[in-house]
Amino acid sequence: MSWHLCRAHRSPREAPIAQRLALRSLTHRNIRSREKLCICKRTGRGMRSVPCTSSIDSTLALLREGYTFISARCDELRTDVFRTRLMLRPVLCMRGEEAAQLFYGSDDVTRVGSMPWTVLRLLQDKHSVQQLDGEMHRQRKKMFIDLAMSDGAVAALIDRFRHHWLAQVDNRETGRSDLREVANLVLTKASADWIGIPEHSRDDRILAESLAEMIDNTGSFGPSAWLALVSRRRTERWLISIVEAVRDGSLVVIDECALKTICVFYRDADGRALSTEAAAVELLNLLRPIAAISRWIVFLALALARNPERQERFRGGHDDEIEGFVEEVRRLYPFFPFVGAKLRKDLVWQGHPLVKGDWLLLDLYGTTHDPRLFPQPTVFDPERGSSWRNEDFRFIPQGGGRPETSHRCPGEKIIVEILKETLKLVCRNRPLRITPADADIPLGSIPASPVPPISICPRAVSGAPPRGLADDRW
């Protein structure tokens, strides 16, 4: 429709409206045309253009569908990669083993600039290890691996976790408790002890609430995300005061703890100690991920409630089967849906030309639910043999490849060991009721949680069913 046609057939009052509508339509068509032209220029002989979604922007669809957004469109387009826009920003969405290898098995991508700023601030922050590349990243990552993956360090954390679990759960006489709230407090206490923050220098309940607020709002926008950012900043200021006190000697801690390592001993690849702000951020990057294990504990309890025969089996032993059960919980149940990156150079991936600066999203949930990699992916099967130890690019609930050289989470050993210990405590200690076994898990919410929340309650000893079994009756 030309402007002359608008003028000829519209009244003077209607013409500006028609012009604006026509301009908007032309603008949208021009955006799509420029994208197609750019893709065609990139595509050489023997290469294929990346499929595109039909919508101009998919933000609302992502907010509505959550964890299934990427895999649903991959299935619809019959591809493992497609182009769309999120928040009007072009993005390549990917899934599968080869996509995970691109993210975690090469130096062709960077995490810098790959996350919305609210997600970055709530999960990592600009001073963190995840925002580094090359030798700076490897050196900082080595510190976390030394802190989190040695047998002694893991055993010490498990000991503190067991101590606080018994104090919070087994000493409870009556009443129903929200399992996630209990687990979050237990993990906060255990991690603060393990890191080396003295008990008199912290308020565990306030800290636990702050950590939970950060985790709960990673997929949120608006007031709830802003309040979580305020909570994070308050926690960072407290940690900055801890770092300063350790460095000036007014807070004395033992040498063999993460707090002393991060504040005093560690040096970056350039030979410099961490700034006060960076040290506080990295302390928070130990506290928050450990508290986030509370979400895995909830899903572990739900899996036990849905498989009562497994509870009875574990109550009598069979320790060699526990890790398989735990790893299947991590494969099946939703944690974080995807991870972002940006390309550092032009390359060809699966015959598709990709360009330096392209924004990428890897579908973690969709990859661990891909029937090509995991037959009958919605079936809970602890005999699949999945393990974080394999360092492959198929089982990637928290990344793939080698944690020493990639951005894979260095704390998976801690996560698995804490979940194994939780299973033993639930099945073999004081009898607990876990309800409801038929809770729904809305995948449109990020991060996802069971609805209604999973609760635990001491089971009466006299005439009680076998210990640890789920029971919907109170």
Side-chain angles (χ1 to χ4, degrees):
M1 180 182 293
S2 68
W3 299 126
H4 300 289
L5 191 60
C6 288
R7 292 193 186 100
H9 292 275
R10 303 282 183 180
S11 68
R13 181 175 297 177
E14 293 173 324
I17 299 175
Q19 290 171 8
R20 287 197 298 272
L21 290 174
L23 179 61
R24 183 181 302 174
S25 176
L26 287 170
T27 300
H28 287 168
R29 287 201 299 270
N30 287 340
I31 288 173
R32 302 298 292 187
S33 297
R34 283 198 301 271
E35 287 180 350
K36 289 179 180 178
L37 179 61
C38 184
I39 291 168
C40 289
K41 287 181 178 179
R42 296 173 187 172
T43 306
R45 183 175 298 175
M47 290 188 282
R48 299 168 292 145
S49 62
V50 176
C52 300
T53 60
S54 58
S55 60
I56 293 174
D57 187 89
S58 299
T59 305
L60 293 179
L62 172 62
L63 294 175
R64 182 176 60 251
E65 299 172 29
Y67 288 78
T68 61
F69 167 77
I70 293 179
S71 57
R73 277 149 190 80
C74 284
D75 291 342
E76 179 184 348
L77 296 170
R78 298 183 179 179
T79 181
D80 283 332
V81 58
F82 64 88
R83 292 185 184 275
T84 188
R85 283 176 172 262
L86 296 175
M87 298 173 288
L88 299 179
R89 180 181 174 186
V91 61
L92 282 162
C93 297
M94 318 171 84
R95 71 170 178 185
E97 189 173 5
E98 290 187 37
Q101 191 162 5
L102 173 63
F103 269 67
Y104 293 101
S106 74
D107 292 327
D108 296 333
V109 298
T110 176
R111 296 293 187 271
V112 179
S114 66
M115 289 189 285
W117 73 271
T118 52
V119 177
L120 171 64
R121 288 282 289 122
L122 288 174
L123 283 185
Q124 294 293 336
D125 211 350
K126 60 184 178 181
H127 299 297
S128 74
V129 61
Q130 287 286 355
Q131 293 299 297
L132 301 175
D133 290 311
E135 188 57 33
M136 290 290 285
H137 173 261
R138 282 187 283 272
Q139 180 77 359
R140 188 86 62 89
K141 188 70 170 286
K142 183 179 183 302
M143 176 189 72
F144 279 98
I145 289 171
D146 292 342
L147 290 173
M149 293 189 69
S150 71
D151 292 341
V154 174
L157 179 56
I158 297 301
D159 179 71
R160 300 314 302 158
F161 172 76
R162 184 187 306 110
H163 167 80
H164 288 296
W165 178 277
L166 294 175
Q168 292 292 319
V169 177
D170 277 22
N171 291 340
R172 188 181 297 271
E173 293 300 326
T174 59
R176 178 167 26 179
S177 301
D178 184 303
L179 175 58
R180 181 153 172 261
E181 290 182 3
V182 172
N184 185 59
L185 180 59
V186 168
L187 288 161
T188 299
K189 287 175 174 285
S191 61
D193 285 353
W194 177 70
I195 288 169
I197 304 173
E199 203 167 345
H200 63 77
S201 301
R202 66 190 206 237
D203 185 318
D204 290 331
R205 290 195 177 275
I206 291 177
L207 179 57
E209 291 172 1
S210 179
L211 297 174
E213 194 172 4
M214 296 176 210
I215 298 161
D216 292 349
N217 288 283
T218 52
S220 302
F221 298 92
S224 61
W226 303 337
L227 290 173
L229 287 169
V230 171
S231 181
R232 176 179 174 114
R233 184 56 189 157
R234 184 169 57 245
T235 304
E236 283 183 350
R237 286 197 298 268
W238 165 68
L239 286 170
I240 286 172
S241 71
I242 294 291
V243 173
E244 292 172 341
V246 171
R247 287 179 170 175
D248 66 24
S250 59
L251 181 62
V252 179
V253 296
I254 62 173
D255 287 348
E256 297 79 16
C257 68
L259 180 58
K260 193 69 171 281
T261 297
I262 291 173
C263 294
V264 178
F265 300 137
Y266 173 75
R267 294 293 183 272
D268 262 333
D270 57 7
R272 298 179 181 180
L274 295 176
S275 67
T276 303
E277 292 77 13
V281 166
E282 298 299 27
L283 286 171
L284 189 50
N285 284 336
L286 284 175
L287 287 165
R288 189 199 60 258
I290 293 174
I293 301 173
S294 60
R295 289 187 168 273
W296 285 127
I297 288 177
V298 168
F299 290 131
L300 175 72
L302 182 57
L304 287 170
R306 291 175 173 177
N307 297 272
E309 74 287 349
R310 295 275 180 176
Q311 293 184 63
E312 183 64 15
R313 186 171 177 81
F314 291 139
R315 187 168 72 90
H318 301 281
D319 285 11
D320 59 319
E321 300 175 11
I322 290 177
E323 186 164 316
F325 188 94
V326 164
E327 292 290 49
E328 181 66 353
V329 168
R330 295 205 309 132
R331 184 201 67 81
L332 180 63
Y333 290 92
F335 197 58
F336 286 113
F338 30 73
V339 64
K342 289 183 69 176
L343 273 181
R344 301 178 68 183
K345 65 178 185 180
D346 295 351
L347 57 85
V348 176
W349 183 79
Q350 287 192 343
H352 300 297
L354 309 184
V355 177
K356 178 181 178 180
D358 276 348
W359 180 30
L360 315 176
L361 284 183
L362 171 63
D363 188 0
L364 301 176
Y365 182 80
T367 299
T368 58
H369 289 73
D370 189 334
R372 297 169 299 179
L373 305 178
F374 301 94
Q376 295 183 293
T378 60
V379 174
F380 186 80
D381 180 9
E383 278 74 49
R384 290 184 190 273
S386 303
S387 175
W388 66 274
R389 295 182 176 84
N390 294 339
E391 298 183 346
D392 61 15
F393 301 98
R394 300 158 60 92
F395 179 60
I396 56 167
Q398 288 168 282
R402 301 188 62 200
E404 296 88 350
T405 57
S406 73
H407 283 275
R408 181 176 182 170
C409 173
E412 281 188 279
K413 182 176 181 178
I414 282 177
I415 295 167
V416 171
E417 292 302 319
I418 283 180
L419 292 178
K420 287 163 63 176
E421 184 65 24
T422 302
L423 186 148
K424 294 175 186 176
L425 289 166
V426 168
C427 292
R428 298 174 185 174
N429 280 273
R430 187 177 183 187
L432 293 175
R433 291 176 178 174
I434 306 170
T435 60
D438 60 350
D440 186 31
I441 304 175
L443 294 177
S445 299
I446 300 175
S449 295
V451 178
I454 301 301
S455 297
I456 55 173
C457 178
R459 187 189 296 278
V461 176
S462 177
R467 291 192 297 174
L469 295 186
D471 189 348
D472 287 334
R473 297 167 299 168
W474 292 92

